[in-house]
């Protein structure tokens, strides 16, 4: 849940990267860490064991100060994908303001995607989060691999769902900024509606987006934006 | 003088059956079909043996036996429970209420007579 | 279930926690680092957290002047105002802030940021920038000696502003690394704890749910036992009359019967008795299944038990023309068993041997004392090495010369309601529970029952019972 401290002029949001094991959640954060301007982001903290998979979770803050002097901080978390880390997953999901669901594009990973989605909705429920209204975007990652669901197929299924869908190859850095921008915009609009933040902070959505997603060097390889549901 | 036996059972067919078997052997048989009737007879008359069903409407066999044991006149009257309710808990309750022997239903004529003789002709 | 429902009183996770500077630093080692810096550059250093609590205060020689001025009431007032200013004033979050005190001494202030938010500030000084002329000190009071004051001013470090700025930036970087490590450490350890607590709570909830369903199952089981006891009671009461009156008729108490009539009555009586044994079997089996079976153990002569079982089946054996023999091989000791239950087992198995025999066949019962190896029981409170290697058992082998049992059916004959051929129920009668009950009862005695059979030649049932199964 967003933490708003008007006295200390701080806003802290929480976005969670959810998804099955090995779908590339950490890779997304690593790519963001590389591409974002160091003045707008903190260190990428990877809390894990010696294993190459995320057994614990990752955390990277991005932040900026508005012209009106407010610090807007967005903490990006990944959850551990492995089934056994359910309690960590639930704790990380606690109080999320938005979710980027990182799905694996490979055809043989559809069951894992489905299981993880169901696991997420169960954990949202346990955390008393409103599944109907919580901003969620979906990223189909690993577009660089073969034997994946085709662009056309994903475009087709994206039209049927209400969640915006992004294509990405996190390992190449493609589509990760767009995904973050997608979930960030949805979450900000949702919070703004609820708390009237833009008025209170004297800030507009585009100022936030352009400052939080300030890049080290321009990168124009944008992934196609495939669908926009009925969330506005 | 022949021995007097009181047969108590709410199933009239069983009362008749026991009566016939016992009368054939020369016992004098009085019958009752519920606990209240049995207790009334027991306070008026003397008996040598009580054949008692357990599951009866109103006053059940356990209570009849307990009441009999509390009366000073009937303290030594042997009580035989003739019942289909012969699980461990019922038997325990039966002995605690003052019963001497359990005879399981269904019984054969021989079994009934064997028990009766062992209680009366001691 | 409670763990499914969101818990509104849920504690806020460490991930939502706003850390203070002192939560993230090991203060002692942090002070050492600061002391090192201060010593190296001969500069005083103060560090405050975001609420103004002073965490570090390392004095340099330059502070001697402050101490002297502080000893005068006027100086005390002025100094205090300066301290409040460097502690509480708003400073730039993007760079360094300079502050010049009323004496003309310089300080440099810098924010300590964590995730873009200020959680403390560093104050370096005092120092005198090279080429800077100090204003003359104001008069402090009667005993104020400007000579002394001037000599104390000499002790204040003179240095380039740029050097101090560089130094502050370097210290801030060092602090940020320490914060990062501290933050990571705090998150890791507390998340471990939270995850463990959360798993524990979930297990607790599951345990409660399990206990509840166990309690309900037990209640259901109790109801089932009650139901069976009642049904059995309700069925046996009318059977009393069926069997009793049939018996009376057969004995001629209601007048003489023709041959056909007494044949019919006999059938009624036999079927009544069959019904009775069925009811008894079902009740027995349900008692064993629900674990309500209790054994009354007593030292008993097994040969007596065998003989008594044989005498029960003897009428049937005569009818089938089957001979039954007992052959104890050894000196057979007494065994501690529930005599009634063992007789039930033997009657059943010997009864089967008669029932499924050929006409003019033979049943022989052999008794032997054997030593059986004991499987180590790891669930006992004793180590396996303390347990006996073998135990003395009585083996009772029942051989028949009957139809035999096919190998694929030999395992299943001990299952409840199983008969080798469903038509055998009609042909031979029985509930199909006999061997299942026999098996449960032998197991309850710590024994076993097995079968060897050759189709067409006959079967051998072996019942093994420990001499004393213990408590």
């Amino acid at each position: 849940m967003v933490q708003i401290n008007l006295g200390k002029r701080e806003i802290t949001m929480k976005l969670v990267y959810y998804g099955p094991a090995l779908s590339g959640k950490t890779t997304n954060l690593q790519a963001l860490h590389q591409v974002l301007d160091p003045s707008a982001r903190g260190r990428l903290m990877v809390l894990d064991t010696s294993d190459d998979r995320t057994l614990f979770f990752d955390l990277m803050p991005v932040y900026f100060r508005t012209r009106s002097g407010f610090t807007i901080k967005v903490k990006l978390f990944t959850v551990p994908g492995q089934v056994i880390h359910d309690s960590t997953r639930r704790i990380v999901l606690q109080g999320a303001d938005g979710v980027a669901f990182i799905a694996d594009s490979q055809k043989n990973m559809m069951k894992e995607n489905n299981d993880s989605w169901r696991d997420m909705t169960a954990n949202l429920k346990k955390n008393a989060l409103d599944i109907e209204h919580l901003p969620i975007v979906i990223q189909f990652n690993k577009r660089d691999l073969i034997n994946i669901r085709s662009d056309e197929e994903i475009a087709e299924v994206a039209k049927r769902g209400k969640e915006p869908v992004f294509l990405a190859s996190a390992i190449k850095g493609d589509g990760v900024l767009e995904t973050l921008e997608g979930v960030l915009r949805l979450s900000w609009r949702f919070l703004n509606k609820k708390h009237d933040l833009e008025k209170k902070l004297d800030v507009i959505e585009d100022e936030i987006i352009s400052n939080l997603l300030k890049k080290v060097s321009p990168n124009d390889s944008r992934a196609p934006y495939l669908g926009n549901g009925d969330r506005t | 003088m022949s021995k007097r036996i009181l047969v108590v059972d709410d199933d009239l067919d069983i009362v008749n059956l026991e009566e016939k078997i016992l009368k054939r052997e020369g016992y004098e048989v009085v019958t009752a079909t519920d606990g209240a009737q049995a207790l009334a007879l027991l306070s008026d008359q003397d008996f040598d043996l009580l054949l008692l069903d357990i599951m009866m409407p109103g006053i059940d066999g356990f209570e009849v036996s307990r009441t009999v044991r509390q009366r000073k006149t009937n303290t030594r009257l042997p009580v035989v429970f003739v019942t289909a309710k012969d699980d461990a808990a019922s038997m325990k309750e039966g002995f605690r209420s003052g019963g001497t022997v359990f005879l399981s239903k269904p019984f054969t004529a021989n079994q009934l007579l064997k028990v009766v003789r062992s209680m009366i002709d001691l | 279930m409670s763990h499914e429902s969101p818990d509104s009183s849920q504690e806020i996770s460490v991930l939502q926690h706003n850390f203070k500077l002192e939560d993230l630093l090991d203060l002692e080692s942090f002070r050492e680092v600061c002391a090192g810096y201060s010593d190296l550059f001969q500069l005083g250093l103060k560090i405050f957290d975001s609420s103004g609590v002073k965490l570090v205060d390392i004095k340099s020689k330059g502070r001697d002047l402050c101490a002297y001025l502080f000893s005068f009431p006027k100086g005390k007032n002025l100094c205090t105002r300066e301290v409040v200013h460097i502690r509480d004033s708003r400073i730039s979050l993007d760079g360094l802030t300079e502050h010049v005190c009323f004496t003309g001494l310089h300080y440099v202030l810098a924010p300590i940021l964590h995730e873009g938010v200020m959680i403390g500030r560093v104050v370096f000084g005092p120092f005198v920038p090279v080429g800077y002329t100090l204003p003359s000190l104001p008069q402090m009071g009667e005993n104020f000696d400007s000579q002394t004051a001037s000599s104390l001013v000499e002790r204040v470090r003179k240095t380039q502003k740029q050097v101090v700025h560089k130094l502050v930036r370097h210290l801030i970087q060092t602090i940020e690394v320490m914060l990062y490590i501290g933050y990571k450490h705090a998150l890791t350890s507390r998340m471990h704890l939270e995850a463990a607590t959360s798993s524990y709570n979930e297990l607790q909830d599951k345990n409660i749910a399990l206990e509840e369903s166990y309690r309900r199952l037990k209640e259901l089981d109790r109801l089932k036992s009650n139901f069976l006891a009642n049904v059995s009671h309700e069925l046996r009461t009318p059977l009393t009359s069926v069997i009793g009156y049939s018996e009376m008729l057969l004995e001629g108490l209601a007048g003489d019967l023709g041959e056909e009539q007494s044949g019919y009555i006999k059938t009624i009586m036999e079927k009544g008795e069959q019904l009775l044994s069925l009811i008894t079997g079902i009740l027995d089996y349900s008692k064993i299944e629900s674990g309500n079976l209790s054994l009354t153990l007593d030292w008993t002569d097994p040969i007596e038990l065998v003989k008594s079982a044989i005498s029960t089946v003897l009428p049937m054996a005569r009818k089938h023309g089957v001979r039954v023999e007992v052959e104890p091989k050894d000196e057979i000791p007494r065994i501690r068993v529930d005599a009634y239950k063992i007789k039930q087992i033997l009657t059943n198995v010997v009864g089967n041997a008669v029932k499924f025999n050929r006409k003019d066949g033979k049943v022989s019962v052999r008794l032997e004392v054997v030593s059986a190896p004991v499987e180590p029981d790891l669930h006992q409170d004793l180590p396996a090495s303390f347990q006996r290697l073998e135990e003395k058992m009585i083996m009772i082998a029942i051989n028949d010369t009957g139809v035999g049992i096919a190998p694929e059916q030999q395992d299943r004959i001990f299952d409840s309601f199983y008969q080798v051929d469903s038509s055998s129920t009609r042909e031979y009668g029985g509930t199909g529970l006999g061997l299942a009950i026999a098996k449960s009862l032998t197991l309850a005695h710590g024994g076993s029952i097995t079968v060897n059979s050759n189709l067409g030649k006959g079967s051998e049932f072996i019942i093994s019972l420990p001499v004393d199964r213990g408590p």
Side-chain angles (χ1 to χ4, degrees):
Chain A
M1 204 204 310
V2 66
Q3 292 172 281
I4 303 171
N5 190 331
L6 293 179
K8 291 173 85 179
R9 306 173 85 75
E10 289 168 23
I11 306 287
T12 307
M13 285 165 64
K14 179 176 185 179
L15 301 181
V16 176
Y17 282 64
Y18 213 95
L22 294 172
S23 70
K25 301 175 290 295
T26 302
T27 316
N28 259 272
L29 252 56
Q30 281 165 342
L32 288 170
H33 184 258
Q34 241 168 23
V35 76
L36 290 178
D37 191 305
S39 71
R41 58 145 177 86
R43 285 183 172 82
L44 169 60
M45 187 179 281
V46 179
L47 295 167
D48 63 1
T49 64
S50 52
D51 209 302
D52 61 338
R53 301 182 191 188
T54 314
L55 287 181
F56 226 34
F57 66 97
D58 311 314
L59 157 64
M60 184 173 79
V62 294
Y63 40 78
F64 90 107
R65 246 182 313 283
T66 65
R67 282 171 292 108
S68 51
F70 272 90
T71 301
I72 295 183
K73 178 160 76 179
V74 182
K75 287 181 164 189
L76 307 177
F77 285 93
T78 66
V79 297
Q82 276 70 22
V83 176
I84 57 160
H85 298 284
D86 193 43
S87 50
T88 310
R89 219 163 21 243
R90 194 166 54 249
I91 294 168
V92 173
L93 196 58
Q94 203 183 92
D97 296 300
V99 173
F101 187 89
I102 310 300
D104 194 320
S105 294
Q106 296 177 93
K107 281 179 187 163
N108 59 358
M109 293 301 282
M110 284 177 69
K111 184 182 181 298
E112 280 75 2
N113 292 336
N114 295 345
D115 288 349
S116 178
W117 184 273
R118 288 192 195 103
D119 175 69
M120 176 183 75
T121 48
N123 278 330
L124 287 173
K125 216 183 275 175
K126 284 180 196 167
N127 276 319
L129 287 165
D130 179 2
I131 308 166
E132 282 306 304
H133 298 102
L134 185 75
I136 300 176
V137 304
I138 296 172
Q139 177 192 86
F140 278 92
N141 192 15
K142 306 196 182 179
R143 301 308 298 166
D144 50 308
L145 295 186
I146 49 164
N147 202 18
I148 51 175
R149 300 179 76 183
S150 69
D151 290 5
E152 296 73 32
E153 193 184 345
I154 291 177
E156 197 56 40
V157 293
K159 271 191 243 162
R160 297 193 293 184
K162 57 179 182 176
E163 294 83 11
V165 170
F166 297 88
L167 297 178
S169 171
I171 202 142
K172 292 182 177 172
D174 295 342
V176 292
L177 266 182
E178 290 75 5
T179 308
L180 175 58
E181 180 178 337
V183 66
L184 198 51
R185 281 191 190 275
L186 283 185
S187 307
W188 177 260
R189 283 174 206 166
F190 182 64
L191 293 176
N192 183 42
K193 219 182 210 172
K194 208 163 156 189
H195 301 284
D196 202 12
L197 290 177
E198 296 196 356
K199 206 173 189 180
K200 283 181 195 155
L201 274 60
D202 185 23
V203 69
I204 57 165
E205 185 180 317
D206 282 335
E207 184 190 351
I208 294 169
I209 299 297
S210 63
N211 280 289
L212 282 178
L213 303 186
K214 198 160 72 183
K215 282 178 280 187
V216 180
S217 58
N219 182 351
D220 285 325
S221 58
R222 300 206 135 212
Y225 181 68
L226 281 172
N228 194 358
D230 49 9
R231 290 164 194 259
T232 43
Chain B
M1 189 185 139
S2 62
K3 304 281 186 181
R4 300 189 80 229
I5 301 175
L6 176 59
V7 172
V8 190
D9 198 309
D10 63 326
D11 184 332
L12 201 61
D13 291 329
I14 292 176
V15 171
N16 289 338
L17 182 66
E18 290 180 35
E19 187 180 11
K20 289 209 166 75
I21 293 169
L22 295 169
K23 272 193 171 157
R24 190 160 53 122
E25 295 297 313
Y27 295 108
E28 191 185 333
V29 179
V30 180
T31 63
T33 52
D34 62 52
Q37 217 181 339
L39 285 175
L41 284 165
L42 282 161
S43 45
D44 289 350
Q45 307 175 23
D46 284 334
F47 293 97
D48 298 297
L49 181 66
L50 177 56
L51 295 180
L52 192 54
D53 183 26
I54 292 176
M55 302 284 280
M56 292 185 292
I59 302 173
D60 69 10
F62 296 137
E63 207 178 326
V64 172
S65 177
R66 262 194 299 274
T67 313
V68 168
R69 287 287 170 255
Q70 278 157 12
R71 287 183 184 164
K72 288 195 179 108
T73 48
N74 300 117
T75 45
R76 300 188 61 185
L77 176 69
V79 175
V80 174
F81 285 110
V82 182
T83 179
K85 209 170 154 53
D86 57 358
D87 55 288
S90 300
M91 286 176 81
K92 205 167 153 190
E93 167 95 38
F95 291 129
R96 195 174 291 157
S97 71
T100 321
V101 173
F102 261 75
L103 178 62
S104 292
K105 283 179 188 169
F107 50 84
T108 62
N110 271 335
Q111 286 167 337
L112 178 66
L113 290 170
K114 216 165 149 185
V115 168
V116 168
R117 284 188 199 117
S118 72
M119 300 310 297
I120 286 185
D121 302 333
L122 270 177
Chain C
M1 266 174 281
S2 62
H3 68 272
E4 290 286 351
S5 61
D7 184 358
S8 55
S9 66
Q10 206 169 36
E11 272 192 39
I12 296 297
S13 164
V14 61
L15 302 179
Q16 265 98 300
H17 189 76
N18 283 322
F19 283 97
K20 289 166 106 181
L21 185 56
E22 53 265 49
D23 296 333
L24 299 175
L25 291 172
D26 174 43
L27 274 183
E28 203 167 318
S29 45
F30 181 57
R31 280 184 186 124
E32 274 173 36
V33 169
C34 291
Y37 268 88
S38 173
D39 190 45
L40 196 57
F41 298 96
Q42 297 295 309
L43 281 169
L45 173 59
K46 283 188 210 293
I47 291 177
F48 297 96
D49 74 5
S50 57
S51 48
V53 176
K54 192 161 66 187
L55 299 179
V56 174
D57 188 4
I58 296 157
K59 296 184 171 72
S60 63
K61 275 190 270 169
R63 292 263 192 96
D64 293 349
L65 175 66
C66 304
Y68 181 65
L69 296 176
F70 201 79
S71 63
F72 299 94
K74 187 178 171 194
K76 190 176 178 175
N77 268 337
L78 290 167
C79 284
T80 305
R81 230 160 54 200
E82 297 295 344
V83 170
V84 169
H85 182 84
I86 60 168
R87 191 184 69 196
D88 299 339
S89 64
R90 283 187 72 172
I91 59 172
S92 162
L93 295 183
D94 301 314
L96 306 179
T97 302
E98 288 207 15
H99 174 69
V100 182
C101 140
F102 72 95
T103 58
L105 298 181
H106 280 59
Y107 292 84
V108 174
L109 282 58
I112 300 174
L113 300 172
H114 175 63
E115 296 181 334
V117 173
M118 185 166 94
I119 59 168
R121 63 173 70 188
V122 170
V123 179
F124 250 111
F127 69 98
V128 180
V130 172
Y132 180 87
T133 327
L134 284 176
S136 54
L137 287 168
Q139 187 64 32
M140 287 294 134
E142 271 179 35
N143 302 323
F144 183 69
D145 176 8
S146 49
Q147 262 326 81
T148 311
S150 297
S151 71
L152 290 174
V153 168
E154 286 307 307
R155 296 191 189 175
V156 178
R157 176 129 159 90
K158 289 174 188 62
T159 181
Q160 305 260 352
K161 260 192 200 174
Q162 285 82 350
V163 173
V164 178
H165 286 189
K166 231 174 164 175
L167 179 62
V168 176
R169 282 197 197 96
H170 195 254
L171 176 64
I172 291 288
Q173 271 175 11
T174 309
I175 292 174
E176 275 176 4
V177 170
M178 292 181 85
L179 283 180
Y180 174 74
I181 294 167
Y183 186 43
K184 186 168 178 171
H185 182 73
L187 282 190
T188 312
S189 54
R190 291 172 68 173
M191 271 298 288
H192 264 304
L193 196 65
E194 274 184 41
T197 308
S198 161
S199 301
Y200 172 78
N201 288 339
E202 203 161 304
L203 277 179
Q204 279 290 84
D205 286 347
K206 279 185 184 155
N207 271 345
I208 290 168
L210 273 179
E211 267 166 30
E212 172 63 13
S213 66
Y214 175 68
R215 200 191 56 71
R216 248 184 274 163
L217 275 179
K218 257 172 66 176
E219 173 66 11
L220 272 179
D221 197 58
R222 201 185 60 76
L223 288 175
K224 189 188 83 176
S225 296
N226 268 355
F227 172 76
L228 279 166
N230 285 335
V231 165
S232 136
H233 171 255
E234 295 302 328
L235 291 174
R236 280 158 69 187
T237 302
L239 265 183
T240 309
S241 292
V242 172
I243 294 172
Y245 283 101
S246 305
E247 197 185 13
M248 299 245 283
L249 281 171
L250 278 178
E251 285 180 18
L253 287 184
D256 291 340
L257 298 176
E259 202 170 312
E260 205 178 351
Q261 287 168 321
S262 65
Y264 292 169
I265 302 291
K266 248 183 212 158
T267 307
I268 293 174
M269 205 171 135
E270 264 170 34
K271 296 302 166 192
E273 271 160 6
Q274 195 178 325
L275 196 55
L276 176 64
S277 77
L278 224 145
I279 294 163
T280 312
I282 290 171
L283 190 66
D284 277 357
Y285 190 70
S286 79
K287 269 189 207 155
I288 294 167
E289 282 284 274
S290 62
N292 284 335
L293 180 78
S294 58
L295 298 177
T296 315
L297 300 175
D298 260 316
W299 289 101
T300 316
D301 180 357
I303 299 175
E304 286 306 312
L305 289 177
V306 170
K307 285 184 175 160
S308 150
I310 290 174
S311 73
T312 309
V313 302
L314 217 50
M316 182 170 66
R318 286 206 187 100
K319 211 166 93 187
H320 284 70
V322 172
R323 243 170 341 120
V324 186
E325 291 169 358
V326 196
E327 36 180 278
K329 210 171 123 192
D330 309 317
E331 187 76 6
I332 303 297
R334 294 168 82 78
I335 56 177
R336 195 160 154 265
V337 290
D338 186 317
Y340 178 78
K341 302 271 179 352
I342 299 298
K343 194 192 155 190
Q344 201 181 336
I345 301 168
L346 290 169
T347 307
N348 188 281
V349 177
V350 177
N352 278 344
V354 169
K355 215 158 39 172
F356 296 98
N357 219 314
R358 62 179 159 80
K359 209 160 169 47
D360 305 321
K362 189 182 135 183
V363 173
S364 66
V365 183
R366 200 173 79 247
L367 287 95
E368 266 180 54
V369 183
V370 294
S371 281
V374 175
E375 289 288 318
D377 181 358
L378 300 178
H379 302 294
Q380 259 191 25
D381 50 355
L382 287 176
S385 57
F386 285 20
Q387 295 167 24
R388 274 182 298 174
L389 272 181
E390 48 183 34
E391 107 189 277
K392 223 192 222 178
M393 312 273 288
I394 297 296
M395 192 192 83
I396 305 171
I398 297 104
N399 278 277
D400 66 53
T401 52
V403 289
I405 304 158
E408 64 271 19
Q409 287 166 333
Q410 289 177 14
D411 288 340
R412 298 198 52 199
I413 55 168
F414 297 107
D415 294 349
S416 43
F417 301 106
Y418 184 82
Q419 283 193 332
V420 170
D421 177 349
S422 61
S423 66
S424 64
T425 316
R426 289 236 164 71
E427 193 180 341
Y428 300 107
T431 57
L433 277 172
L435 284 177
I437 292 173
K439 187 180 179 183
S440 302
L441 290 176
T442 35
L443 286 180
H445 277 87
S448 66
I449 178 165
T450 54
V451 64
N452 301 309
S453 184
N454 278 330
L455 254 187
K457 288 191 175 165
S459 310
E460 180 183 50
F461 282 81
I462 296 173
I463 299 163
S464 297
L465 295 166
V467 169
D468 184 2
R469 78 184 258 284

